[in-house]
């Protein structure tokens, strides 16, 4: 079977003659197929240069015609221009085109008009599909690198929701941002409409639906005081917040993540952007939540997916409290079995391996092991800090848009309104559930006196 490709400028009369001859051959020959490529006159020269360079051809005018070797593979066989195609048709099939010059010009004009109308229609259709606009600050960090594929795979926002990602960082990071953009484009992610880098702060957050703040101030108390670091965080948010108010959509959702001052960044954005809805600003605690679940799963020699409802209270990247009083264990391999939704209180399953009592509750192990795990996680985040924080951000965004699993607790830093007797107006991590595009604090949870005392201490430290 012969498959011929005819390509040319939309307003080229020679292309018009070539495509009509190709149409005639296809209609009258059983094993002849034609594929036509029409290009706008303004795009033709570049397109022709690219196709010739890719195939190693020499051709300078419209149209260009080649035969696809569909039965043998390999690159196409260049036939040439209109005259070469006329000779090809005459020699192989005994068919000649008798189209007059006036007809060629008339059809070329129709081709250009039709091409313009089709292109306009395609642009209108594209404009109806408005992608979510996602802005990521501090985008040169490894977290952003790992986050992009998670955002664009369809699991976070839905398999039919396209996204546009905007990477924001300083001029010094421009080369890194360009590298990330090129690699993301090369992945050909089906839901990624576009990705771009930005270093001009004044153009930040335009039409943003989601803002993910990854900026970090890495601590070195030998260099400067904690107060100076806090002031540095505040200065960053004092720039971002008014721009989010000015440029982003009214229902923009802001996520604070990173290695340090996560609570403070969320609070400062609300402080310096008073029109940003407090319910739309949260701080990510899922990183610590996930790491704690992994530590417990290793201790119990079970699947980490079966550990649920670990709560992170307080200052997420500072002084916090890991609460296991509501934690549950599903699918644990033991003497007691039940249906898939059967669970056991996790604390009942933690025991001291060296105790004579099998179910002895080792509070000493819990505190020492979890503190060690937190210290280890902090160290890993400072050195690497890529996959885990990215997964945490993507998970919380998925919950925010589609709801968290029924009955499960998610820890999130939110601005308090007096829940659990924590003072109002600070960003404090506490248990929430996501549903219908919103979140609510799970105030129905019962906490004991010791936990209440710890919350008071954490709140005081956070305020200080």
């Amino acid at each position: 079977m012969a498959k011929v490709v005819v390509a040319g400028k939309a307003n080229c009369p020679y292309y018009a003659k070539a495509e009509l001859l190709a149409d005639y051959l296809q209609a009258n020959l059983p094993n002849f197929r034609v594929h036509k490529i029409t290009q706008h006159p303004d795009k033709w020269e570049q397109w022709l240069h690219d196709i010739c360079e890719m195939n190693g051809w020499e051709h300078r005018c419209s149209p260009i015609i080649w035969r696809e070797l569909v039965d043998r593979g390999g690159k196409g066989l260049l036939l040439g221009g209109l005259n070469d195609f006329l000779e090809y048709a005459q020699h192989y099939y005994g068919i000649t085109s008798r189209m007059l010059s006036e007809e060629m010009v008339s059809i070329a004009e129709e081709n250009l008009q039709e091409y313009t109308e089709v292109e306009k229609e395609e642009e209108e259709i594209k404009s109806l599909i408005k992608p979510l606009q996602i802005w990521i600050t501090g985008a040169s960090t490894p977290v952003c690198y790992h986050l992009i594929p998670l955002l664009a795979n369809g699991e976070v926002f839905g398999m039919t929701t396209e996204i546009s990602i905007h990477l924001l960082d300083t001029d010094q990071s421009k080369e890194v941002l360009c590298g990330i953009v090129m690699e993301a484009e090369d992945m050909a992610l089906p839901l990624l409409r576009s990705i771009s880098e930005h270093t001009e702060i004044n153009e930040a957050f335009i039409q943003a639906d989601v803002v993910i703040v990854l900026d970090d101030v890495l601590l070195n108390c030998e260099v400067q005081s904690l107060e100076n670091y806090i002031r540095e965080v505040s200065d960053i948010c004092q720039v971002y917040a008014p721009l989010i108010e000015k440029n982003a959509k009214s229902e923009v959702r802001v996520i604070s993540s990173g290695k340090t001052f996560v609570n403070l960044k969320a609070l400062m954005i609300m402080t310096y952007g008073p029109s940003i809805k407090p319910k739309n600003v949260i701080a990510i605690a899922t990183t610590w939540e996930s790491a704690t679940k992994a530590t417990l799963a290793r201790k119990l020699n079970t699947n980490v997916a079966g550990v649920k409802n670990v709560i992170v209270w307080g200052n997420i990247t500072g002084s916090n409290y890991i609460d296991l009083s509501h934690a549950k264990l599903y699918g644990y391999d033991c003497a007691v079995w039940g249906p898939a939704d059967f669970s056991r209180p996790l604390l009942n399953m933690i025991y001291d391996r060296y105790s004579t009592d099998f179910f002895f509750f080792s509070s000493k192990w819990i505190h020492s092991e979890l503190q060690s795990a937190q210290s280890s996680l902090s160290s890993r985040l400072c050195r690497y800090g890529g996959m885990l924080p990215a997964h945490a951000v993507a998970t919380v965004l998925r919950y925010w848009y589609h709801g968290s699993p029924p009955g499960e607790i998610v820890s999130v830093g939110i601005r308090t309104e007096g829940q659990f007797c924590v003072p109002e107006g600070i960003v404090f991590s506490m248990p929430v559930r996501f549903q219908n595009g919103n979140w609510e604090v799970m105030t129905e949870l019962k906490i004991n006196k010791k936990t209440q005392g710890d919350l008071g201490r954490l709140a005081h430290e956070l305020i200080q």
Side-chain angles (χ1 to χ4, degrees):
M1 182 180 73
K3 179 182 177 183
V4 171
V5 179
V6 180
K9 290 190 291 186
N11 64 344
C12 174
Y14 302 108
Y15 170 62
K17 186 170 184 175
E19 67 165 337
L20 285 181
L21 174 57
D23 286 341
Y24 179 84
L25 292 172
Q26 179 172 256
N28 291 277
L29 299 175
N31 293 317
F32 188 95
R33 295 291 179 270
V34 62
H35 174 65
K36 292 179 283 187
I37 301 175
T38 307
Q39 289 290 331
H40 192 278
D42 296 338
K43 300 177 182 178
W44 168 252
E45 294 295 337
Q46 184 61 49
W47 184 89
L48 180 62
H49 173 270
D50 293 343
I51 198 72
C52 288
E53 186 175 48
M54 182 175 67
N55 290 282
W57 296 335
E58 288 289 338
H59 193 82
R60 295 288 180 267
C61 59
S62 171
I64 180 173
I65 303 159
W66 69 89
R67 180 181 173 187
E68 293 284 355
L69 303 178
V70 294
D71 53 345
R72 297 181 229 169
K75 67 179 183 179
L77 176 65
L78 178 65
L79 299 180
L82 174 62
N83 291 335
D84 300 297
F85 186 45
L86 292 173
E87 291 179 11
Y88 174 82
Q90 174 65 37
H91 178 74
Y92 281 95
Y93 307 112
I95 296 174
T96 303
S97 173
R98 302 186 184 280
M99 181 185 292
L100 301 176
S101 298
E102 293 80 2
E103 290 180 278
M104 293 165 56
V105 172
S106 175
I107 293 174
E109 291 175 353
E110 291 177 7
N111 279 344
L112 180 60
Q113 182 178 354
E114 181 182 1
Y115 179 88
T116 303
E117 291 175 354
V118 169
E119 194 174 49
K120 182 179 178 182
E121 184 179 340
E122 288 177 351
E123 288 299 320
E124 288 176 352
I125 292 173
K126 287 181 181 179
S127 69
L128 295 175
I129 309 171
K130 295 183 180 179
L132 277 177
Q133 303 294 325
I134 301 169
W135 284 79
I136 304 176
T137 74
S140 61
T141 63
V143 179
C144 178
Y145 183 84
H146 290 281
L147 181 58
I148 290 170
L150 299 178
L151 295 178
N153 68 7
E155 293 184 7
V156 174
F157 302 106
M159 298 304 296
T160 59
T161 302
E162 291 189 340
I163 63 173
S164 289
I165 297 178
H166 307 269
L167 309 179
L168 178 66
D169 215 313
T170 61
D171 283 327
Q172 291 80 4
S173 303
K174 186 173 180 61
E175 186 175 347
V176 176
L177 297 185
C178 290
I180 295 174
V181 167
M182 290 178 64
E183 191 163 356
E185 289 174 341
D186 289 343
M187 292 175 71
L189 297 162
L191 296 177
L192 182 60
R193 172 80 71 85
S194 64
I195 181 168
S196 56
E197 81 279 353
H198 303 266
T199 56
E200 293 294 330
I201 190 63
N202 292 331
E203 64 185 29
F205 314 123
I206 293 175
Q207 291 299 299
D209 294 287
V210 176
V211 174
I212 303 170
V213 181
L214 299 180
D215 299 74
D216 262 321
V217 176
L218 300 183
L219 302 180
N220 186 348
C221 293
E222 295 179 1
V223 176
Q224 60 178 318
S225 66
L226 184 62
E227 288 77 9
N228 287 336
Y229 286 118
I230 291 173
R231 189 174 297 112
E232 192 174 334
V233 173
S234 180
D235 289 344
I236 292 171
C237 297
Q238 198 167 0
V239 173
Y240 287 166
L243 286 171
I244 294 173
E245 282 188 304
K246 176 185 176 183
N247 296 336
K249 295 178 181 176
S250 60
E251 292 296 325
V252 62
R253 300 177 182 186
V254 182
I255 284 183
S256 172
S257 183
K259 305 171 186 176
T260 58
F261 301 113
V262 172
N263 296 53
L264 181 63
K265 286 187 291 186
L267 181 62
M268 289 296 97
I269 287 171
M270 286 184 267
T271 301
Y272 294 122
S275 69
I276 301 172
K277 297 180 180 180
K279 290 279 286 186
N280 284 2
V281 182
I282 63 175
I284 297 292
T286 320
T287 305
W288 304 93
E289 200 179 275
S290 299
T292 301
K293 291 176 180 178
T295 301
L296 294 166
R298 284 191 291 268
K299 173 68 175 178
L300 294 169
N301 193 27
T302 189
N303 184 359
V304 67
V307 182
K308 309 287 186 184
N309 298 351
V310 172
I311 302 175
V312 179
W313 297 94
N315 189 357
I316 296 165
T317 50
S319 181
N320 58 47
Y321 169 59
I322 305 296
D323 182 4
L324 304 181
S325 61
H326 299 276
K328 294 180 179 180
L329 193 60
Y330 292 81
Y332 187 64
D333 188 9
C334 63
V336 180
W337 284 78
D341 60 349
F342 173 74
S343 66
R344 302 186 67 180
L346 184 138
L347 288 179
N348 290 352
M349 306 304 296
I350 298 178
Y351 60 89
D352 185 351
R353 293 177 182 272
Y354 302 101
S355 171
T356 56
D357 185 355
F358 186 77
F359 288 105
F360 175 71
F361 191 81
S362 179
S363 59
K364 180 180 179 181
W365 176 87
I366 294 172
H367 291 297
S368 64
E369 191 77 8
L370 292 186
Q371 284 179 358
S372 174
Q374 285 181 282
S375 176
S376 174
L377 177 61
S378 298
S379 175
R380 294 199 304 274
L381 287 177
C382 288
R383 283 182 294 160
Y384 311 115
M387 285 192 293
L388 178 57
H391 179 264
V393 171
T395 298
V396 171
L397 267 174
R398 183 173 78 248
Y399 291 166
W400 208 346
Y401 275 82
H402 302 291
S404 51
E408 284 193 28
I409 296 172
V410 185
S411 301
V412 170
I414 54 99
R415 192 166 81 173
T416 56
E417 298 177 352
Q419 303 97 329
F420 300 106
C421 298
V422 175
E424 295 184 30
I426 62 174
V427 172
F428 196 87
S429 180
M430 54 180 58
V432 306
R433 69 169 64 88
F434 289 90
Q435 56 186 10
N436 301 322
N438 296 302
W439 54 262
E440 60 179 2
V441 178
M442 301 177 70
T443 52
E444 71 275 11
L445 293 179
K446 303 296 182 183
I447 59 175
N448 56 39
K449 288 184 178 180
K450 180 186 180 305
T451 300
Q452 189 64 67
D454 286 331
L455 299 190
R457 173 181 56 81
L458 293 172
H460 177 74
E461 290 180 7
L462 193 54
I463 292 169
Q464 291 299 107

